[in-house]
Amino acid sequence: MNSYKLGVEVTAAHDLVPKDGEGSASAYVELKFDDQVFRTSTKEKDLNPVWNETYYFNISNPNNLSNLSLEALVYSYSRSTNSKAFLGKVCISGSSFVTQSDAAEFYFPLEKRHIFSRVKGELGLRVFITNNPSIKPSMPPPVMESDSPYGERQQFDDGVVENDFPKREKRSGTRHTFWHLPKQEESMKNSQSKVTPITTSAAKSELQPPKSMQFNAGAPGQAFDYKLKETSPMLGGGRVVGGRVVRSNKPATTYDLVEQMTFLFVRVVKARDLPNMDVTGSLDPYVEVKVGNYKGVTKYFEKKKEPEWNEVFAFSRDRVQASVLDVLVKDKDLVKDDFVGIIRFDLNEIPTRVPPDSPLAPQWYRLEDKKGERSSNGELMLAVWYGTQADEAFSDAWHSDAITPSDMSSSAAAHIRSKVYHSPRLWYLRVNIIEAQDLITSDKGRFPDCYVKGQLGAQILRTKPVQTRMGNPFWNEDLMFVAAEPFDEHLILTIEDRVGPNKEETVGKVSIPLGAVRKRPDDKNFPSQWINLHKPSSDDLEEEKKVKFASKLHARISLDGGYHVLNESTYYSSDLRPSLKQLWKSSIGVLELGILSAEGLHPMKTKDGRGTTDTFCVAKYCQKWVRTRTIIDSLNPKYNEQYTWEVYDPATVLTIGVFDNGHFVGNRDTRIGKVRIRISTLEAGRVYTHSYPLLVLHPSGVKKMGDLHLAIRFSCTNMTNLMFMYAKPLLPKMHYSRPLSLMQTNMLRVHATNVLASRLNRAEPPLNKEVVEYMCDVDAHFWSMRRSKANFYRIISLLQGLIAVSKWFTDVCAWKNSVTTVLVHLLYVMLVCFPELILPTVFLYMLLIGAWNYRFRPKNPPHMDTRISYADNTIPDELDEEFDTFPTSRGSEVVRRRYDRLRSIGAKVQSVLGDVAAQGERAQALLSWRDPRASVIFLTFCFVAAVVLYATPFKVMAFVGGFYAMRHPRFRSKYPATPVNFFRRLPAKTDFML
């Protein structure tokens, strides 16, 4: 068995930092991999050195390659001082290594070693894996004492010169010497080049990759399969390394977050002058497009000689195993379809279209017979070209990589295309029922007991019943509905009279079109109106005109555009804008998502005795929903589709779900898993390429359904507006000036989800209700013992900090560490003597903690954590309770009532625990750099506060602060204060909740 080796070709470097004091540098590269170190030759006085030297490392364990990394450090060597200065480094994760045939030269931007490093320039490397037995690993030749001395010193950016290598010898006890082995052609040209030894330790801690390039980024203690993994894919803009796109030789494209895929597009437009085929002179034409084993079939027209199809077919170039494209026109028949004509294209002669070029104009082509001779009549208009996902025809095409050859002509093809959906704009419809007059009931001898019933579509609400002697009941109640544009439904108001225990009588009825309802931008009331009620028995319009007296309803009806209609879980909201478009603010950035591929998916159905999956992805943000094409019969599908959204608020969440298409077996789409990305946790301009585990909770426990590969980039268009967003209210002002109750909010959320699901279900292809409900987290507020335990342990985790401080103070009092105790006593004396230093010291201390935590800031977006969700050790009885129906079906009627009451109370306690935990976690997020922009704002405030509090007398601050806290209500605003708005926008560990 051949041993695997890692080949590293160091080509050149560009624009290095001068370090020798003379405007130049003598650069060399030090390569570290798997406890092995090599060093290139030194290029004297050159800021753009060229090496073209190749080295081969032994790979001790190929199965552990993804946990290793290659580190290339660039130094400048000074012969006069016998020291080296750091110029930059490059870290490449083992998960991004490719074979030698796929390897290409890339120029990696040099990274800093610490925050004070001064680095610029690029380093060209070509990295590959090979098992060629003729290639031997680089071996050290005999030691030559005339080479560079062992006592080499290292000069850091702060000017400190350290004797590096002797310390390593002393630390490890052993010494290994390696030499570089240049390429054979270079050694023939430059036979006088010296071989330079380098001495280093074999200690494994010296060769570990830095924290920013760790392959696994999951939480401590979490199973490996459930962790988030950083990848370095080759995308359209180049290879992504450490969040930055490394330059490649390919030209830049608009689809730079996905791997470019080439398709053969065939647009069949129409035909003319087709010949007669049947005895009756009729023709039922359709077109069959065939490339190798793949074929696409258009719909057929009955008895039409000049049909128009305008259908597009896309064949993946990688799967095309032919050199000829056949376009056949056929006549539909009951037994066997008749041949009408054919057009053949040589695939080598087909042009390539690259957007933004204009679409290729279709042309008329004369049909040929089976012998290749032109027919006397019959022409077909076609357009044939090579394109990519950036082509406008991509979303409307039938894709050969997304459907099997046998299914291309089936009706299921319409349900596998990629589509973009714009969800309808939702409004809150407020119906303020004030009173009614002149109600006439059938029974004159009793007092009417009336209520008003409002109905909008499937939504039905009622007021409280009111009994009156005069027939003029008074309610003054609000009924809240959810309406969706376009307003094609009518609001139906009915006054019902309860004449018996289970008997009701309709007193009056009115139907109001929503298009005539006034839109209200704020909480200011406008005049109410009296509405004539119609008798339920008088359906004839002529009879209604004869009636001169009618009952009336006094009401105030409005579409409240100042609210944001919550149709998803509050913490996972993707949009916080009000319904009225005139109240929208300008966007603050652009969010780009590349859905690359999925790996290791579980089979969701059985086909021909084997497990298979037909998957598609759905992404939701703001009002834009996107759906990728369905990849048929693949457990490792590749989508490579890119989408873009405008961002209006950083405290929003992008949701991506993976589903199994149920159109082929039944009509229900099965959930596979989903990923949430909070925008505030993304650094502007960085490309996040990760493999997200798809985790789903089943009655048997948590289960990993596969991995989803994504590429995400947030680009900020206006940093000033983005920073100001942290001081603004999270929701529109109407939520604070006229707030809705918790019960109203939960009820309206259910109605909004149902309205949204019904509207998206009308699209083609439809988004089924189960897809919309899963993306909107409709079950997030249901009772779950597991979630309650998870929220409880989140609170316990927050209290651990206070417990640690208490234990530390106990140790101080116990004099366990004399030095620490003396310092605490001195600090206490200083603060008692100078109380004005207390607050500046606290803010300065938080400033230092935040600056120190910058080194350990999260490099990856948050993802679901099975340990925080308490899903990895939940007992089966709790899972059975969580997946039980509501109401329960596990016992008798008495047990059911008690059980449901317990779950209802438990759900409220669960929400309260989650909210309390979120507040504490938001306080932790101030200094943890989970939201980098919020941390910058808070640290800036700490610095300003420390300076102001230092310069202002403490008594003055206490005087002003006390009077400000006790100020008159006239001087208070009904909107939240700026610190409260800032605090509510901070992320919490709810992002990790499953």
Side-chain angles (χ1 to χ4, degrees):
M1 181 178 178
N2 297 329
S3 60
Y4 286 87
K5 291 171 283 293
L6 177 67
V8 181
E9 181 180 354
V10 185
T11 57
H14 294 158
D15 196 21
L16 297 178
V17 176
K19 286 286 186 177
D20 59 356
E22 300 177 0
S24 185
S26 300
Y28 68 90
V29 181
E30 187 175 287
L31 303 172
K32 297 181 180 182
F33 177 77
D34 200 7
D35 292 344
Q36 305 166 60
V37 181
F38 294 97
R39 199 180 83 174
T40 67
S41 58
T42 303
K43 301 299 180 180
E44 300 288 342
K45 305 294 183 180
D46 192 355
L47 295 179
N48 299 285
V50 178
W51 288 282
N52 289 325
E53 300 175 7
T54 305
Y55 308 89
Y56 293 96
F57 295 87
N58 275 324
I59 301 178
S60 57
N61 185 8
N63 296 327
N64 193 39
L65 186 62
S66 59
N67 294 326
L68 301 176
S69 66
L70 171 68
E71 195 172 13
L73 300 100
V74 185
Y75 294 101
S76 175
Y77 177 67
S78 175
R79 295 186 180 273
S80 59
T81 60
N82 197 23
S83 63
K84 61 180 181 181
F86 180 75
L87 299 181
K89 69 176 182 179
V90 172
C91 295
I92 305 176
S93 174
S95 60
S96 62
F97 295 161
V98 297
T99 60
Q100 188 172 5
S101 59
D102 296 333
E105 178 189 3
F106 290 97
Y107 280 89
F108 298 86
L110 294 176
E111 300 177 358
K112 297 181 179 181
R113 180 162 49 192
H114 51 76
I115 192 172
F116 300 106
S117 299
R118 189 168 65 93
V119 170
K120 69 173 182 175
E122 299 173 324
L123 177 64
L125 297 174
R126 181 172 175 263
V127 185
F128 56 88
I129 297 176
T130 179
N131 62 346
N132 189 348
S134 61
I135 298 178
K136 302 298 182 183
S138 303
M139 298 297 293
V143 179
M144 294 180 293
E145 298 294 339
S146 59
D147 292 318
S148 296
Y150 294 132
E152 186 175 6
R153 296 182 297 169
Q154 183 171 354
Q155 181 178 354
F156 297 99
D157 297 324
D158 53 5
V160 178
V161 179
E162 182 179 346
N163 218 346
D164 184 37
F165 295 126
K167 288 186 178 181
R168 296 185 180 179
E169 290 182 31
K170 185 177 181 179
R171 191 183 312 140
S172 63
T174 58
R175 184 174 64 196
H176 298 279
T177 306
F178 299 93
W179 285 261
H180 78 276
L181 185 64
K183 294 197 299 186
Q184 295 181 358
E185 59 269 23
E186 185 184 10
S187 61
M188 295 293 293
K189 295 179 181 179
N190 190 6
S191 59
Q192 298 180 355
S193 62
K194 293 185 178 181
V195 181
T196 308
I198 179 171
T199 307
T200 185
S201 155
K204 192 171 184 178
S205 60
E206 298 262 325
L207 299 175
Q208 287 295 327
K211 205 165 189 177
S212 61
M213 288 299 294
Q214 287 291 339
F215 182 72
N216 298 319
Q222 193 175 4
F224 173 79
D225 288 340
Y226 298 159
K227 290 182 179 179
L228 192 68
K229 305 179 184 69
E230 185 175 6
T231 60
S232 298
M234 182 65 186
L235 305 180
R239 185 174 297 279
V240 179
V241 179
R244 290 183 288 184
V245 179
V246 180
R247 185 177 61 194
S248 65
N249 296 328
K250 296 182 179 180
T253 61
T254 54
Y255 274 50
D256 59 343
L257 291 186
V258 293
E259 180 184 351
Q260 282 194 4
M261 303 176 67
T262 305
F263 293 89
L264 172 64
F265 289 95
V266 180
R267 180 185 295 275
V268 181
V269 184
K270 56 185 176 180
R272 66 184 180 186
D273 299 333
L274 295 179
N276 298 328
M277 300 301 297
D278 297 338
V279 179
T280 59
S282 62
L283 176 68
D284 303 330
Y286 71 91
V287 177
E288 179 182 289
V289 182
K290 187 175 181 182
V291 182
N293 295 329
Y294 293 92
K295 68 176 180 179
V297 179
T298 67
K299 60 183 178 182
Y300 75 93
F301 294 93
E302 293 185 0
K303 300 180 180 180
K304 194 170 185 180
K305 294 184 179 180
E306 293 187 355
E308 293 187 9
W309 293 282
N310 199 23
E311 297 185 24
V312 183
F313 302 90
F315 301 90
S316 178
R317 192 169 189 175
D318 297 336
R319 299 191 179 190
V320 172
Q321 303 294 331
S323 59
V324 177
L325 166 67
D326 294 333
V327 182
L328 298 90
V329 180
K330 293 186 176 181
D331 176 32
K332 189 72 174 179
D333 207 341
L334 295 176
V335 181
K336 183 179 180 181
D337 298 340
D338 297 328
F339 175 84
V340 179
I342 188 174
I343 302 173
R344 287 190 172 91
F345 295 89
D346 186 355
L347 296 183
N348 297 323
E349 302 296 330
I350 294 177
T352 300
R353 175 181 175 255
V354 179
D357 293 349
S358 300
L360 193 67
Q363 303 180 29
W364 287 105
Y365 293 90
R366 176 73 65 178
L367 297 178
E368 300 177 354
D369 55 17
K370 295 182 179 180
K371 298 180 180 179
E373 298 179 0
R374 289 195 173 186
S375 303
S376 58
N377 53 0
E379 289 181 311
L380 186 64
M381 179 177 282
L382 296 172
V384 184
W385 72 95
Y386 282 117
T388 62
Q389 306 100 305
D391 203 291
E392 292 85 353
F394 178 81
S395 59
D396 296 327
W398 292 4
H399 298 272
S400 64
D401 67 336
I403 196 167
T404 58
S406 59
D407 292 333
M408 180 63 85
S409 58
S410 66
S411 60
H415 294 264
I416 66 171
R417 298 177 181 174
S418 59
K419 287 295 180 182
V420 176
Y421 306 84
H422 285 276
S423 61
R425 197 147 35 117
L426 302 180
W427 294 71
Y428 283 149
L429 175 64
R430 185 187 297 270
V431 182
N432 180 225
I433 305 296
I434 302 176
E435 59 179 335
Q437 286 185 357
D438 304 328
L439 297 183
I440 302 176
T441 59
S442 58
D443 189 358
K444 306 293 184 180
R446 68 174 188 86
F447 300 129
D449 188 8
C450 299
Y451 67 88
V452 179
K453 182 178 73 173
Q455 181 175 358
L456 181 65
Q459 306 173 59
I460 299 177
L461 298 177
R462 295 177 175 86
T463 65
K464 294 179 181 180
V466 174
Q467 195 172 29
T468 176
R469 297 183 178 183
M470 304 299 296
N472 300 324
F474 182 83
W475 293 280
N476 196 23
E477 291 186 31
D478 284 346
L479 303 180
M480 297 287 291
F481 300 89
V482 176
E485 293 182 350
F487 302 121
D488 53 0
E489 295 177 335
H490 286 210
L491 172 65
I492 300 175
L493 298 177
T494 308
I495 298 182
E496 302 284 345
D497 180 22
R498 299 195 304 180
V499 297
N502 297 315
K503 186 178 180 181
E504 297 173 343
E505 180 186 42
T506 301
V507 178
K509 183 179 180 181
V510 65
S511 178
I512 303 173
L514 293 186
V517 176
R518 181 175 177 178
K519 296 178 181 179
R520 185 170 61 171
D522 48 33
D523 60 342
K524 297 179 181 179
N525 287 328
F526 52 87
S528 56
Q529 56 182 333
W530 287 94
I531 305 172
N532 292 331
L533 299 177
H534 306 293
K535 292 184 178 181
S537 59
S538 58
D539 296 332
D540 186 40
L541 295 179
E542 295 296 331
E543 186 177 349
E544 282 290 329
K545 293 180 180 179
K546 297 178 182 179
V547 178
K548 298 182 180 179
F549 180 81
S551 301
K552 296 180 182 295
L553 178 65
H554 190 199
R556 182 182 290 110
I557 305 174
S558 63
L559 286 166
D560 290 351
Y563 289 103
H564 167 71
V565 179
L566 296 170
N567 62 340
E568 49 198 343
S569 179
T570 308
Y571 195 80
Y572 302 134
S573 293
S574 62
D575 190 9
L576 300 172
R577 294 174 296 174
S579 300
L580 192 63
K581 199 170 184 179
Q582 286 76 8
L583 300 178
W584 291 2
K585 305 297 183 181
S586 59
S587 64
I588 59 174
V590 175
L591 177 65
E592 298 170 272
L593 169 66
I595 304 177
L596 304 180
S597 61
E599 290 182 355
L601 297 179
H602 278 224
M604 305 300 294
K605 62 183 69 144
T606 304
K607 182 178 181 181
D608 299 332
R610 58 182 178 84
T612 183
T613 302
D614 308 324
T615 59
F616 65 92
C617 299
V618 175
K620 171 186 69 70
Y621 187 75
C622 288
Q623 290 183 318
K624 181 179 177 181
W625 295 54
V626 298
R627 171 180 177 150
T628 67
R629 65 193 189 282
T630 301
I631 307 297
I632 302 298
D633 193 12
S634 176
L635 300 179
N636 299 285
K638 291 186 177 181
Y639 306 100
N640 286 309
E641 299 186 23
Q642 183 171 341
Y643 301 95
T644 304
W645 289 269
E646 285 189 335
V647 178
Y648 294 90
D649 197 302
T652 48
V653 177
L654 167 69
T655 305
I656 306 102
V658 184
F659 301 88
D660 176 68
N661 198 321
H663 184 80
F664 305 98
V665 182
N667 292 317
R668 185 175 179 84
D669 298 328
T670 306
R671 62 181 67 174
I672 297 178
K674 64 183 171 185
V675 175
R676 304 188 193 101
I677 306 295
R678 183 169 291 275
I679 308 304
S680 62
T681 61
L682 303 179
E683 296 181 8
R686 179 177 177 180
V687 180
Y688 292 85
T689 54
H690 292 84
S691 174
Y692 296 83
L694 299 173
L695 304 178
V696 175
L697 194 66
H698 290 279
S700 58
V702 65
K703 187 176 182 181
K704 178 183 175 182
M705 306 299 292
D707 292 280
L708 181 63
H709 293 257
L710 301 175
I712 304 168
R713 178 172 57 202
F714 169 63
S715 303
C716 181
T717 56
N718 194 325
M719 184 59 69
T720 304
N721 289 344
L722 177 59
M723 292 298 186
F724 280 143
M725 286 297 297
Y726 286 90
K728 296 180 179 179
L730 185 65
L731 293 172
K733 295 181 178 180
M734 195 83 164
H735 288 268
Y736 307 103
S737 60
R738 183 171 288 190
L740 302 175
S741 66
L742 180 61
M743 184 177 297
Q744 271 185 316
T745 303
N746 293 334
M747 179 191 66
L748 292 172
R749 181 185 290 110
V750 175
H751 291 332
T753 304
N754 293 334
V755 171
L756 181 63
S758 63
R759 289 296 181 93
L760 293 178
N761 197 38
R762 300 184 195 175
E764 184 65 32
L767 279 179
N768 292 345
K769 183 178 181 180
E770 60 270 13
V771 174
V772 178
E773 290 180 347
Y774 185 57
M775 297 293 290
C776 293
D777 292 290
V778 294
D779 57 349
H781 301 277
F782 292 169
W783 160 254
S784 167
M785 180 65 74
R786 176 189 60 84
R787 288 197 187 99
S788 298
K789 286 184 177 181
N791 291 331
F792 173 76
Y793 284 110
R794 287 167 63 192
I795 296 177
I796 295 299
S797 177
L798 291 174
L799 296 178
Q800 293 297 328
L802 298 178
I803 296 174
V805 173
S806 176
K807 184 178 181 299
W808 171 81
F809 186 72
T810 303
D811 294 342
V812 169
C813 297
W815 286 80
K816 287 191 174 181
N817 190 326
S818 302
V819 177
T820 303
T821 304
V822 171
L823 291 176
V824 170
H825 278 75
L826 292 176
L827 179 62
Y828 178 74
V829 171
M830 182 185 68
L831 294 179
V832 169
C833 296
F834 305 99
E836 64 272 9
L837 296 180
I838 296 177
L839 291 179
T841 303
V842 171
F843 282 108
L844 189 60
Y845 184 63
M846 288 192 292
L847 172 65
L848 295 177
I849 293 177
W852 176 261
N853 288 342
Y854 177 79
R855 298 175 56 196
F856 313 106
R857 66 191 186 279
K859 299 295 183 181
N860 306 315
H863 187 54
M864 299 176 185
D865 192 311
T866 57
R867 190 171 186 180
I868 293 180
S869 303
Y870 208 73
D872 53 353
N873 55 357
T874 306
I875 62 176
D877 183 62
E878 293 177 355
L879 291 175
D880 180 71
E881 179 184 9
E882 183 170 350
F883 284 92
D884 189 14
T885 59
F886 190 87
T888 180
S889 58
R890 296 295 189 267
S892 63
E893 292 297 326
V894 175
V895 176
R896 176 179 299 179
R897 287 195 298 270
R898 293 177 179 176
Y899 187 51
D900 292 342
R901 184 167 59 249
L902 176 64
R903 294 172 71 185
S904 177
I905 297 174
K908 298 177 182 178
V909 175
Q910 165 190 313
S911 300
V912 171
L913 291 176
D915 292 339
V916 172
Q919 303 309 316
E921 289 162 355
R922 287 191 176 107
Q924 286 183 338
L926 288 170
L927 303 176
S928 65
W929 292 89
R930 171 58 65 187
D931 184 347
R933 287 165 289 272
S935 296
V936 169
I937 294 174
F938 183 72
L939 295 182
T940 304
F941 167 75
C942 290
F943 176 78
V944 175
V947 174
V948 172
L949 292 174
Y950 178 79
T952 306
F954 179 78
K955 294 181 179 180
V956 175
M957 294 299 302
F959 186 86
V960 173
F963 275 77
Y964 179 79
M966 296 182 291
R967 67 192 185 279
H968 193 273
R970 180 180 297 178
F971 302 101
R972 297 178 185 270
S973 173
K974 56 186 175 182
Y975 301 122
T978 297
V980 176
N981 298 329
F982 176 84
F983 187 79
R984 288 178 178 175
R985 291 181 179 277
L986 295 172
K989 288 185 179 179
T990 315
D991 292 319
F992 296 91
M993 294 295 292
L994 182 65

